[in-house]
Amino acid sequence: MIKAVLVLNTQGKPRLAKFYEFQSVEKQHDAIRNVFSVLCSRPEHVSNFVDAESFFGPDSRLVYKHFATLYFVFIFDSSENELAMLDLIQVLVETLDKCFRNVCELDIVFNYSKMHTILDEIILGGQVLETSSNEVMKAIEEISRLESASKAINLVPKSVSGWRSQ
Amino acid sequence: MSIEDNGGLRVLAINILGRFLSNCDNNIRFISFSFITLMVATWIGQNQKIRLMVVEINLRGDGAERLRERGRAKAPE
């Protein structure tokens, strides 16, 4: 089970925080601060796996990847495999790269709802749903098409009421 | 680890983990170290071969040392 997904920038500001098991808001903030204090002091040439028991309780491990100005962090328990989680971070980043052209931190800041939609297509309730970025892209396009259709439906009542007033 | 006693599969697993250990990526070496630690605890009979493998890895320098320092993977005595 995946316990949390965090996207932090290199100054420690969280850009995305998704917790799949309940924690109070103060605990969430403490966890994000602890995760960043561990990551920023970690050298480049060691492995990307950290023991996360001190801030996420027993049976917790942490996998991170560092892209440009962002850290992508997954916290999970022993039922998941570390290398599989590393691949899942890659799938998430590939999907973001396909959704936003030349994806950067500003895209995550300004398109947070799309960001959460992408994450929900990959992970739901702490379980991995999809590991193919093409399938996730199809689902995202379908959702965008449905949103456009719902906007078009909103135009019909105005024309109906305009017709009635004639 | 829960597979029943089968000498051929054990040797195959140890060989595959050894190949992972010789990978230069620290992540893959970490995972293989962890599994070798589990195998040592479970299958004592293969200890000699694993000891040679781990000694060889230790001679390569910093990566294996840091893995051991972290305490997640302990080389057999």
Side-chain angles (χ1 to χ4, degrees), chain B residues 3-38:
Chain B
I3 297 177
E4 290 177 2
D5 188 83
N6 191 328
L9 282 183
R10 274 191 265 154
V11 173
L12 179 64
I14 290 168
N15 286 331
I16 290 172
L17 285 179
R19 211 168 298 142
F20 278 144
L21 270 181
S22 57
N23 198 302
C24 59
D25 189 4
N26 271 331
N27 296 325
I28 293 174
R29 280 160 67 182
F30 179 85
I31 295 295
S32 54
F33 247 116
S34 302
F35 276 106
I36 282 177
T37 305
L38 288 177

Side-chain angles (χ1 to χ4, degrees), chain A residues 2-166:
Chain A
I2 295 171
K3 297 187 174 185
V5 173
L6 305 171
V7 179
L8 315 168
N9 69 358
T10 47
Q11 284 99 45
K13 191 170 282 293
R15 295 309 188 194
L16 179 85
K18 191 115 181 174
F19 290 83
Y20 293 107
E21 60 175 23
F22 175 75
Q23 294 193 17
S24 63
V25 178
E26 291 85 10
K27 265 190 183 176
Q28 288 179 10
H29 287 322
D30 284 343
I32 291 171
R33 267 195 297 270
N34 286 324
V35 165
F36 180 69
S37 66
V38 166
L39 291 189
C40 66
S41 63
R42 200 162 167 85
E44 283 286 328
H45 59 279
V46 299
S47 66
N48 290 14
F49 310 132
V50 183
D51 196 6
E53 292 198 359
S54 55
F55 35 87
F56 268 92
D59 196 25
S60 296
R61 281 175 291 176
L62 186 150
V63 161
Y64 70 95
K65 259 197 171 184
H66 184 27
F67 292 98
T69 60
L70 293 169
Y71 288 102
F72 289 80
V73 183
F74 278 31
I75 295 108
F76 51 92
D77 60 7
S78 63
S79 63
E80 304 278 358
N81 187 263
E82 285 99 342
L83 293 177
M85 288 297 109
L86 215 56
D87 276 345
L88 203 69
I89 294 177
Q90 186 70 26
V91 168
L92 177 65
V93 172
E94 275 176 16
T95 310
L96 294 179
D97 191 54
K98 287 174 179 174
C99 261
F100 312 109
R101 204 168 295 108
N102 286 328
V103 64
C104 65
E105 189 177 339
L106 288 183
D107 293 313
I108 296 176
V109 172
F110 290 123
N111 295 283
Y112 58 92
S113 63
K114 197 166 206 175
M115 189 69 190
H116 281 278
T117 304
I118 291 165
L119 193 57
D120 285 342
E121 287 295 324
I122 296 174
I123 300 165
L124 188 61
Q127 302 297 321
V128 181
L129 290 187
E130 184 62 66
T131 56
S132 165
S133 59
N134 289 326
E135 294 293 324
V136 176
M137 279 307 299
K138 284 178 192 169
I140 298 297
E141 284 161 3
E142 200 72 26
I143 290 171
S144 301
R145 198 176 305 124
L146 285 178
E147 285 174 358
S148 306
S150 73
K151 286 171 186 171
I153 287 169
N154 287 332
L155 295 176
V156 173
K158 294 180 181 179
S159 61
V160 168
S161 64
W163 174 80
R164 276 193 195 142
S165 67
Q166 290 173 2

Side-chain angles (χ1 to χ4, degrees), chain B residues 13-69:
Chain B
I14 290 168
N15 286 331
I16 290 172
L17 285 179
R19 211 168 298 142
F20 278 144
L21 270 181
S22 57
N23 198 302
C24 59
D25 189 4
N26 271 331
N27 296 325
I28 293 174
R29 280 160 67 182
F30 179 85
I31 295 295
S32 54
F33 247 116
S34 302
F35 276 106
I36 282 177
T37 305
L38 288 177
M39 292 171 84
V40 168
T42 308
W43 302 332
I44 308 295
Q46 305 288 332
N47 203 0
Q48 191 65 246
K49 184 165 186 176
I50 293 175
R51 183 183 299 137
L52 292 177
M53 203 183 292
V54 171
V55 166
E56 180 184 336
I57 292 298
N58 282 341
L59 292 177
R60 297 189 192 194
D62 56 349
E65 286 297 324
R66 283 179 207 280
L67 292 172
R68 285 208 295 170
E69 281 166 16

